[in-house]
Amino acid sequence: MCGINGIYNISKLNSPLQEMEKMIAKQNHRGPDASGTYVNDFVAFGHNRLSIIDLEASSNQPFYSKDNKFILIFNGEIYNYKEIRESLPDYHFRTNSDTEVVLAAYQTWGTNCVHQFNGMFAFAIWDVEKRTLFIARDRLGIKPLYIYDNNESIVFSSEIRSLMECSLVKKKIDKDSFVDYLRYNTVHAPKTIIEGVKMLMPGHYIWVSDDEYKNEPYWDINKYINRKSDNQSYEEIKMDVKDRLTKSVKRRLVADVPFGAFLSGGIDSSAIVALMSEVSDKPVKTFNISFAEEAFSEAKYARIIAKKYKTDHTEIKLTPADFLAELPSALSGMDHPSGDGPNSFIVSKATKEAGVTMALSGLGGDELFAGYDIFPRAVSLLDKKWVYSFPIGIRRLIGKALKIVKPTIASDKTVETITQKYLELPFYYPINRQVLNDELISKLTGIGILPENAVYRIGLNGIDVNAPGFKSPFLSKVSYMEMNTYMQNVLLRDTDQMSMAHSLEVRVPFLDHELIEYVYGVADEHKFPYSPKKLLVDSLGDLLPKEIVNRPKMGFTFPWDQWMKNELKDFCIKNLTNLVDRELLDKKQLWDMWDRFLKGNQKATWSRLWPLVVLGFWLEENEVEV
């Protein structure tokens, strides 16, 4: 795991090497073990290395081919690198690293090399003789890659803050992305909060030469659905799910450094730890955050798994005061603003301090195995299309009445749903996770006509509701929305930036593309969550104790409401003022919302204001202009 930086066409820079050194210095936390640069008349490359596989200095980067005709910078891990290496018997390898395998694969298969890789990655390769640049990102977007393209030069980096160290990149907020952030506490790829800076989309590559530029997909789940389960019994499907998940876990245990696992005591993390224990020849190190409030703590469930699998278990006990003390560091470690993330920062810090450099996570289990409430709720809406037989005017009247009788955020979302043009997933799903509705955003920003909803665009582009040829099961369409919105743009980004703030690598077995392709094709009747994540639980059988499968939902949250009204009040006011001073939010509307929050208004909750505080802090900390 590392950090990469690059500049294509350096002709406008006075000192390309100095610029590159500034970029890699900014993300030293991503790879403190080694750093290096490569600069010629056309490109500048920089790399920060966190050594995980092959710790020798010969695997440091930028990495040169034996004949010095190809230069590689690579962030991530290729889990099947040994198999690829064996398939290239004529290639003379000089190291034992997956880094060299990436370069060898490119020299053998060209841009098609990406189809050979099972892993998480973002990399760039410069062909010295042909003067071509190839950049690629993994299928699920586990590893980030930010791109700035001004039609003359291309600047790219693993982090947006590092990217902004390049003089070609202007630190200016993107106004449309600002609205997206207000809606969802994040910005959806390909856009970012910074104007002109985009993310290379998951499963895409860029090819650049003197006279050609391509930004193309090489993988899309809709085109790679595995239909094997169509001809299988449920028993066979369960065996296939367990087999594929076991292989995924085993692949992700390849490392030359100490590793462990995050163990919350929930189904997903418990499944990963159970399978790690099956395939590992030594006790697994597990880490759990527990709270002083025992009634809300998941620690007792983590202990059940730790005891069953005899793990080397570490319980990180936290009080709200401990969490509060870490909050400034967590916010400073944030590479891209987010309404979430401090939890990941704290567990990553404790895990790293325990001597672990790589950890496995259960991230992705909910999205793949229908773990969220939206899955059964979306299915239930399929039976309510009769509501749309009423004229839109009648539905609006019903909505107004509901708002009067029950003035809550939930009611607002129900009204939005029943007044949509169609009761189809791309139309009502965007309402599910929206934090501030468009009416409130217009009041806060003074913008009359808001930009198109990014989540609606993702759904409409990824799910053609009228196409009979779109053969994925309905629950898989919900998975598509979850994976391409909340998972990709919140969970994965937060996990990367908060873990790498501590130079900790996190691997996610549920996001193995071969597993996803298979489960995505499984029929709804096998995946419907009659019980929590039924298909996953059934597939693992006795590996998961009943106490874990049938455990109650935990209700603990940190006392954000009280903190923001007391210990964090001055901090909140200062950073909300930053947004007002930048003329991003209307002063009267914002302070009216803050006043309603202080008075306990149920529509002005802490969760609607805290992301604004974070954004104000991030813009000030990173000197971003309007």
Side-chain angles (χ1 to χ4, degrees):
M1 193 63 58
C2 309
I4 64 174
N5 295 288
I7 308 170
Y8 172 83
N9 187 3
I10 60 176
S11 60
K12 301 292 184 182
L13 300 176
N14 292 326
S15 178
L17 177 59
Q18 186 176 10
E19 298 243 0
M20 186 51 59
E21 288 175 342
K22 286 170 58 181
M23 292 175 72
I24 63 174
K26 191 69 174 180
Q27 61 177 24
N28 184 63
H29 52 275
R30 293 190 71 91
D33 296 329
S35 64
T37 58
Y38 167 82
V39 179
N40 65 15
D41 292 337
F42 304 98
V43 299
F45 278 2
H47 189 266
N48 302 86
R49 185 183 183 196
L50 177 63
S51 303
I52 302 289
I53 294 175
D54 187 358
L55 310 185
E56 298 299 322
S58 57
S59 293
N60 288 347
Q61 300 179 45
F63 191 87
Y64 297 71
S65 63
K66 188 176 181 180
D67 56 11
N68 291 328
K69 292 181 179 179
F70 297 92
I71 318 296
L72 165 72
I73 45 175
F74 165 53
N75 171 33
E77 306 292 350
I78 305 300
Y79 304 123
N80 63 334
Y81 78 99
K82 291 182 179 179
E83 296 96 305
I84 298 173
R85 181 183 176 119
E86 290 174 1
S87 72
L88 301 172
D90 296 330
Y91 192 94
H92 299 291
F93 288 93
R94 294 169 290 143
T95 72
N96 294 313
S97 67
D98 58 341
T99 299
E100 189 172 13
V101 169
V102 172
L103 193 54
Y106 179 74
Q107 291 179 263
T108 303
W109 295 294
T111 59
N112 286 325
C113 67
V114 289
H115 295 287
Q116 303 291 325
F117 302 146
N118 184 310
M120 54 180 185
F121 54 82
F123 65 83
I125 297 174
W126 173 249
D127 185 324
V128 176
E129 289 188 344
K130 295 181 180 178
R131 298 206 314 241
T132 59
L133 176 66
F134 178 60
I135 308 172
R137 190 178 178 206
D138 68 68
R139 296 169 181 83
L140 277 302
I142 302 168
K143 290 295 101 187
L145 194 65
Y146 295 93
I147 307 280
Y148 173 81
D149 183 352
N150 64 5
N151 295 320
E152 289 186 340
S153 299
I154 298 172
V155 189
F156 59 91
S157 178
S158 299
E159 294 198 355
I160 200 167
R161 292 174 300 178
S162 181
L163 192 79
M164 291 191 297
E165 288 296 305
C166 178
S167 61
L168 297 173
V169 182
K170 301 295 183 288
K171 296 183 179 182
K172 186 176 182 182
I173 193 170
D174 184 287
K175 293 297 181 66
D176 285 357
S177 296
F178 172 60
V179 172
D180 191 21
Y181 183 87
L182 295 181
R183 282 173 171 147
Y184 294 104
N185 295 352
T186 190
V187 178
H188 291 85
K191 302 196 81 170
T192 72
I193 198 69
I194 300 298
E195 186 176 273
V197 176
K198 295 184 177 181
M199 297 195 81
L200 179 60
M201 292 298 287
H204 278 63
Y205 72 77
I206 290 175
W207 168 270
V208 189
S209 66
D210 291 340
D211 55 4
E212 187 178 16
Y213 176 91
K214 293 190 293 186
N215 185 335
E216 296 184 352
Y218 66 87
W219 185 87
D220 183 326
I221 184 58
N222 293 325
K223 297 178 181 178
Y224 283 84
I225 302 172
N226 185 331
R227 306 301 314 204
K228 180 182 178 181
S229 61
D230 287 349
N231 301 310
Q232 291 180 304
S233 67
Y234 188 55
E235 288 301 314
E236 291 171 325
I237 290 171
K238 290 191 299 181
M239 289 175 61
D240 238 336
V241 168
K242 183 183 178 183
D243 181 59
R244 290 169 189 273
L245 184 55
T246 302
K247 286 180 179 177
S248 176
V249 169
K250 189 173 183 179
R251 286 185 183 120
R252 283 156 182 80
L253 295 186
V254 176
D256 295 325
V257 294
F259 59 83
F262 299 146
L263 178 59
S264 69
I267 290 173
D268 299 334
S269 64
S270 298
I272 298 303
V273 169
L275 293 174
M276 288 176 73
S277 299
E278 276 203 336
V279 300
S280 178
D281 57 2
K282 53 187 175 184
V284 176
K285 292 179 181 289
T286 52
F287 299 86
N288 169 260
I289 285 185
S290 64
F291 304 110
E293 294 80 355
E294 190 65 27
F296 300 109
S297 176
E298 295 180 299
K300 58 185 176 182
Y301 300 106
R303 290 177 205 138
I304 291 172
I305 294 295
K307 181 178 180 180
K308 178 178 175 65
Y309 292 105
K310 298 179 175 59
T311 72
D312 182 0
H313 191 56
T314 300
E315 205 167 283
I316 306 158
K317 285 191 173 292
L318 283 181
T319 66
D322 296 329
F323 188 92
L324 192 61
E326 290 288 351
L327 193 57
S329 297
L331 294 180
S332 292
M334 195 171 284
D335 180 55
H336 189 285
S338 169
D340 207 348
N343 279 9
S344 299
F345 181 91
I346 290 171
V347 71
S348 295
K349 179 184 179 185
T351 303
K352 183 69 175 183
E353 288 176 347
V356 168
T357 304
M358 182 273 284
L360 270 63
S361 163
L363 191 158
D366 283 314
E367 291 78 5
L368 189 57
F369 290 99
Y372 293 128
D373 290 342
I374 182 61
F375 286 90
R377 192 161 67 244
V379 171
S380 72
L381 286 174
L382 292 174
D383 298 325
K384 295 181 173 61
K385 289 190 176 182
W386 58 268
V387 173
Y388 283 70
S389 63
F390 291 99
I392 184 67
I394 299 294
R395 285 183 270 145
R396 284 173 179 158
L397 286 174
I398 294 172
K400 286 182 180 179
L402 178 61
K403 283 186 174 183
I404 293 171
V405 173
K406 195 176 181 182
T408 63
I409 295 172
S411 295
D412 289 347
K413 292 194 173 189
T414 299
V415 172
E416 274 197 81
T417 299
I418 67 173
T419 54
Q420 290 294 301
K421 186 177 181 180
Y422 303 108
L423 190 62
E424 301 286 358
L425 190 62
F427 291 87
Y428 66 75
Y429 178 87
I431 300 166
N432 179 62
R433 289 198 180 275
Q434 191 163 342
V435 180
L436 301 182
N437 64 34
D438 285 5
E439 181 182 357
L440 179 54
I441 291 172
S442 288
K443 288 180 179 178
L444 283 169
T445 62
I447 301 173
I449 301 177
L450 299 177
E452 183 183 43
N453 187 298
V455 175
Y456 168 75
R457 182 195 69 239
I458 290 168
L460 212 57
N461 291 343
I463 300 175
D464 188 343
V465 295
N466 298 312
F470 191 81
K471 299 182 182 300
S472 66
F474 179 75
L475 288 176
S476 293
K477 294 180 183 181
V478 182
S479 287
Y480 179 92
M481 295 302 298
E482 284 291 329
M483 288 183 175
N484 286 279
T485 58
Y486 181 66
M487 186 190 82
Q488 182 193 129
N489 298 283
V490 177
L491 298 181
L492 284 176
R493 185 151 61 193
D494 285 352
T495 297
D496 177 82
Q497 63 185 4
M498 292 307 186
S499 62
M500 292 307 291
H502 300 291
S503 305
L504 175 74
E505 174 179 305
V506 176
R507 298 180 179 180
V508 280
F510 282 114
L511 298 190
D512 184 283
H513 72 275
E514 294 176 6
L515 174 66
I516 287 175
E517 290 167 1
Y518 178 78
V519 175
Y520 204 87
V522 174
D524 289 343
E525 63 184 283
H526 301 310
K527 280 194 295 193
F528 190 83
Y530 297 104
S531 55
K533 282 171 271 202
K534 184 177 184 299
L535 175 57
L536 174 62
V537 171
D538 288 353
S539 299
L540 296 180
D542 295 338
L543 288 180
L544 294 179
K546 291 181 180 179
E547 301 98 313
I548 301 300
V549 175
N550 300 318
R551 54 170 283 191
K553 288 182 178 291
M554 307 304 292
F556 180 80
T557 58
F558 286 105
W560 286 100
D561 187 90
Q562 292 304 310
W563 283 345
M564 291 174 66
K565 291 174 181 176
N566 296 284
E567 293 95 332
L568 292 174
K569 185 175 182 179
D570 290 342
F571 180 81
C572 291
I573 291 172
K574 175 185 176 182
N575 289 294
L576 291 174
T577 301
N578 287 338
L579 298 179
V580 172
D581 290 345
R582 284 176 164 80
E583 299 183 348
L584 289 169
L585 295 179
D586 180 83
K587 182 177 181 180
K588 182 180 182 305
Q589 293 291 340
L590 178 60
W591 295 125
D592 176 64
M593 185 177 175
W594 175 255
D595 186 57
R596 286 186 285 117
F597 161 69
L598 294 177
K599 292 177 179 177
N601 186 294
Q602 59 184 334
K603 283 194 176 184
T605 59
W606 71 265
S607 60
R608 305 183 109 191
L609 278 158
W610 177 248
L612 304 182
V613 174
V614 173
L615 181 62
F617 174 88
W618 192 89
L619 295 175
E620 183 73 13
E621 172 119 323
N622 293 284
E623 301 177 337
V624 176
E625 301 174 356
V626 176

